[in-house]
Amino acid sequence: MKNLILYLFTIISLLACGSDDESDSDILSSDDDVLTILEEKTIKEILDTHNSYRSDVGISNLIWSEEVAISAQSWADQLSKNCDFKHSSSAYGENIWAGTTGAFDPTRVVTSWGSEIANYNYESNTCDDGEVCGHYTQIVWKNTTKVGCGTATCDGLDIWVCQYDPPGNFIGQKPY
């Protein structure tokens, strides 16, 4: 009988310790919250950097779109399958970027596109000869109101895709 009581006591003690496992799942839940915060931090960084360029030319801020982000993530995933680097045929405007895995944060990615301002001549609405400026003009396209981005990795490269709704860069139209 003593053995049975000791056995039951041990089982009850183990069950009571099992409630500590619930504490562990609370901790995991907290870790999940940290992931959410990191994702929100990344989104905030993307928006803040885009909107800094937009503010500089006096146009309204972009907002984040989950719908557009899902499309961008889908394209980033597709590019990562073969390490392709080409634009999609989606209905959205699009900027794509690739760089060494983990070496570039969202601010640097968006800044790489935005730095093309140096190649853009607003008066003639053209890029300097031999230069690229369409990534910048997409960022500051006045009629664009939403952005969503995705990222994937392939062969040591992070691939970033940001898509814009409605799209910009229409020939013959100025961005703002």
Side-chain angles (χ1 to χ4, degrees):
M1 183 69 156
K2 276 186 178 182
N3 285 345
L4 181 58
I5 293 173
L6 182 57
Y7 179 73
L8 290 174
F9 179 78
T10 303
I11 290 179
I12 291 169
S13 295
L14 288 173
L15 289 174
C17 290
S19 68
D20 286 344
D21 289 341
E22 289 175 25
S23 296
D24 289 343
S25 71
D26 288 344
I27 291 169
L28 290 176
S29 181
S30 294
D31 288 346
D32 289 344
D33 291 343
V34 169
L35 277 177
T36 300
I37 290 168
L38 291 176
E39 290 172 6
E40 289 174 5
K41 180 180 180 259
T42 299
I43 291 168
K44 181 178 180 345
E45 215 174 311
I46 290 167
L47 284 172
D48 287 350
T49 309
H50 275 85
N51 290 332
S52 174
Y53 287 103
R54 293 173 69 85
S55 174
D56 288 348
V57 295
I59 58 175
S60 62
N61 286 344
L62 295 175
I63 61 168
W64 186 260
S65 166
E66 279 301 312
E67 179 182 330
V68 177
I70 289 167
S71 174
Q73 184 61 57
S74 176
W75 187 243
D77 291 340
Q78 183 65 35
L79 293 177
S80 73
K81 287 181 183 177
N82 298 315
C83 292
D84 286 338
F85 195 69
K86 60 185 179 184
H87 285 282
S88 71
S89 57
S90 80
Y92 301 120
E94 185 174 78
N95 285 340
I96 58 176
W97 182 94
T100 304
T101 297
F104 300 90
D105 62 23
T107 298
R108 287 184 66 192
V109 171
V110 177
T111 299
S112 74
W113 297 322
S115 67
E116 292 176 4
I117 188 175
N119 306 329
Y120 179 64
N121 182 316
Y122 182 81
E123 295 308 315
S124 64
N125 192 31
T126 60
C127 301
D128 292 341
D129 287 341
E131 299 294 335
V132 175
C133 65
H135 302 101
Y136 165 72
T137 55
Q138 177 57 82
I139 288 172
V140 296
W141 199 264
K142 183 178 183 175
N143 294 335
T144 298
T145 58
K146 300 175 195 170
V147 65
C149 304
T151 185
T153 303
C154 181
D155 288 344
L157 293 176
D158 285 338
I159 298 170
W160 285 78
V161 176
C162 286
Q163 294 181 340
Y164 304 85
D165 185 32
N169 287 342
F170 293 103
I171 296 171
Q173 294 182 23
K174 288 186 174 182
Y176 51 89

